[in-house]
Amino acid sequence: MVMGLRVLAAMSGGVDSAVAAARIAEAGHDVTGVHLALSANPQSHRTGARGCCTVEDSRDARRAADVIGIPFYIWDMAERFQRDVVEDFVAEYAAGRTPNPCLRCNEKIKFAAVLDRALALGFDAVATGHHAKLVDGVLSRSVDQGKDQSYVLGVLTRQQLGHALFPLGDSTKAEVREEAARRGLTVADKPDSHDICFIADGDTRGFLAERLGSAQGPIVDQSGEVVGSHSGAHGFTVGQRKGLRIDRPAPDGRPRYVLSIEPVSNTVTVGPRSALQVSTIVCGTPVWNGPSGRDDLTVQLRAHGEVYPCRFEERVGGLSIELDRPATGVAAGQAAVLYSGATVIGSATIVSAS
């Protein structure tokens, strides 16, 4: 890490970002902490480990900055977050796709809006508490495989990665918590947040129904026979098993899964798990942000998901990925992040799979 940088440390109010800021300050950099206010109406208290930029979170971030001894500010990003993350999330579901809002937040908020403002203010880099490694601008997996977040950072460009710092990549989560306690940071034992941060109660279907409304539609099997009904195709994702309102059980008695979602006809197609298997994934325009080597090539298709050995071929306007073994539950709108060993080489948004 280059010495003497002016660094803006994004502090969410959690233990990871607090320790990341402390490490950078201890290394001798000029660090300023910033908490991003992403909600126009923050809750005064979180619900369990859920919530988005609650008052509690901003206070925890401020207390951590005080302990570290760095300046601290709150930046209001609520309008940008609403437009680029929340509205995008709703629009993607309305179109029958399955988005990843954490990935979109990194792309549009933390390393676009925040980084742009930081550079304009004379900062050299933005630091976050993501569990990932960054060496000479090249992104790779954290040593803590269970907490690795390189997948949700895979959309970042080389230019963005060149102004990023991820100080936790060589530490496990347990080590981070132990260090926080040693440093006297009160967030040492604070629970991690889970699920989608702006859906505090975890009810994604209810959140979407409130914004997209209800519209009765059919649930059909692979032959086109109606086997049930639903109140909105946007309430389903490919690979989903639970919550299906099926009136006619499968002849073999096996469970059914969502195979596809057609928003125009408001139709959900279901079938056996075996029908979810795909070997070819077609993606949109890729973002290449790492070395071009193709040794030990794998692809990850969801956050903390399984990795698959693969081959890929660039095509006009996109990318085709061939898996060495089938994957299940692959949905349009998700990101395919390509790795060479532990190193991220690029990413692209999934358009279709077969």
Side-chain angles (χ1 to χ4, degrees):
M1 188 184 297
V2 179
M3 295 300 295
L5 298 177
R6 286 194 68 208
V7 180
L8 187 72
M11 302 182 71
S12 66
V15 62
D16 291 326
S17 60
V19 170
R23 287 184 178 183
I24 295 173
E26 190 174 67
H29 300 291
D30 180 4
V31 182
T32 297
V34 62
H35 178 76
L36 307 181
L38 302 179
S39 173
N41 299 294
Q43 301 175 15
S44 59
H45 299 284
R46 67 171 56 244
T47 303
R50 305 180 190 274
C52 175
C53 65
T54 64
V55 172
E56 177 190 346
D57 290 329
S58 63
R59 288 173 179 167
D60 286 344
R62 185 180 296 278
R63 281 193 290 265
D66 288 343
V67 171
I68 298 166
I70 59 175
F72 178 82
Y73 298 92
I74 295 177
W75 284 3
D76 184 357
M77 290 281 179
E79 185 175 337
R80 181 74 179 263
F81 183 78
Q82 176 68 27
R83 182 182 75 241
D84 290 347
V85 179
V86 180
E87 291 179 7
D88 173 81
F89 177 82
V90 174
E92 285 291 282
Y93 265 99
R97 296 185 287 268
T98 304
N100 184 313
C102 295
L103 187 147
R104 191 68 63 236
C105 184
N106 287 327
E107 177 188 18
K108 298 292 188 180
I109 305 299
K110 293 174 184 174
F111 292 97
V114 173
L115 179 57
D116 288 349
R117 183 184 294 187
L119 294 177
L121 291 172
F123 288 93
D124 299 303
V126 169
T128 71
H130 285 99
H131 282 262
K133 296 175 70 173
L134 193 60
V135 180
D136 296 328
V138 177
L139 179 67
S140 63
R141 293 191 184 278
S142 164
V143 299
D144 189 335
Q145 294 298 303
K147 290 293 182 181
D148 174 58
Q149 293 175 296
S150 59
Y151 173 85
V152 295
L153 298 168
V155 293
L156 302 184
T157 65
R158 286 191 177 97
Q159 189 273 339
Q160 290 169 327
L161 290 172
H163 293 283
L165 296 174
F166 306 126
L168 305 186
D170 288 316
S171 301
T172 65
K173 185 59 178 261
E175 290 169 343
V176 170
R177 290 197 181 278
E178 290 170 3
E179 181 176 335
R182 290 197 307 269
R183 291 181 180 275
L185 297 168
T186 59
V187 292
D189 296 320
K190 185 174 180 178
D192 291 339
S193 58
H194 296 286
D195 300 313
I196 300 168
C197 69
F198 53 84
I199 306 179
D201 61 1
D203 182 9
T204 301
R205 181 177 290 187
F207 177 87
L208 292 169
E210 183 178 333
R211 286 153 181 80
L212 296 174
S214 298
Q216 291 293 319
I219 298 176
V220 303
D221 63 17
Q222 291 170 285
S223 69
E225 181 181 358
V226 176
V227 296
S229 63
H230 62 80
S231 57
H234 52 258
F236 299 86
T237 58
V238 171
Q240 179 178 333
R241 174 185 173 184
K242 297 181 179 180
L244 305 183
R245 293 165 53 184
I246 296 177
D247 301 323
R248 299 182 185 180
D252 60 7
R254 294 183 179 180
R256 284 165 163 163
Y257 298 79
V258 174
L259 303 182
S260 65
I261 302 156
E262 174 47 61
V264 176
S265 63
N266 198 28
T267 300
V268 174
T269 300
V270 298
R273 180 176 175 79
S274 59
L276 284 170
Q277 293 188 336
V278 300
S279 296
T280 301
I281 299 172
V282 177
C283 302
T285 304
V287 173
W288 298 117
N289 50 21
S292 58
R294 298 197 181 194
D295 294 332
D296 192 19
L297 194 67
T298 59
V299 64
Q300 187 170 331
L301 304 172
R302 60 174 61 86
H304 306 296
E306 188 176 353
V307 297
Y308 298 87
C310 68
R311 305 173 305 283
F312 70 84
E313 179 182 351
E314 289 191 75
R315 298 179 176 179
V316 177
L319 192 69
S320 177
I321 302 173
E322 295 292 333
L323 306 181
D324 287 0
R325 67 174 187 276
T328 59
V330 179
Q334 294 174 325
V337 178
L338 290 161
Y339 293 80
S340 178
T343 300
V344 174
I345 63 173
S347 70
T349 300
I350 297 171
V351 175
S352 63
S354 60

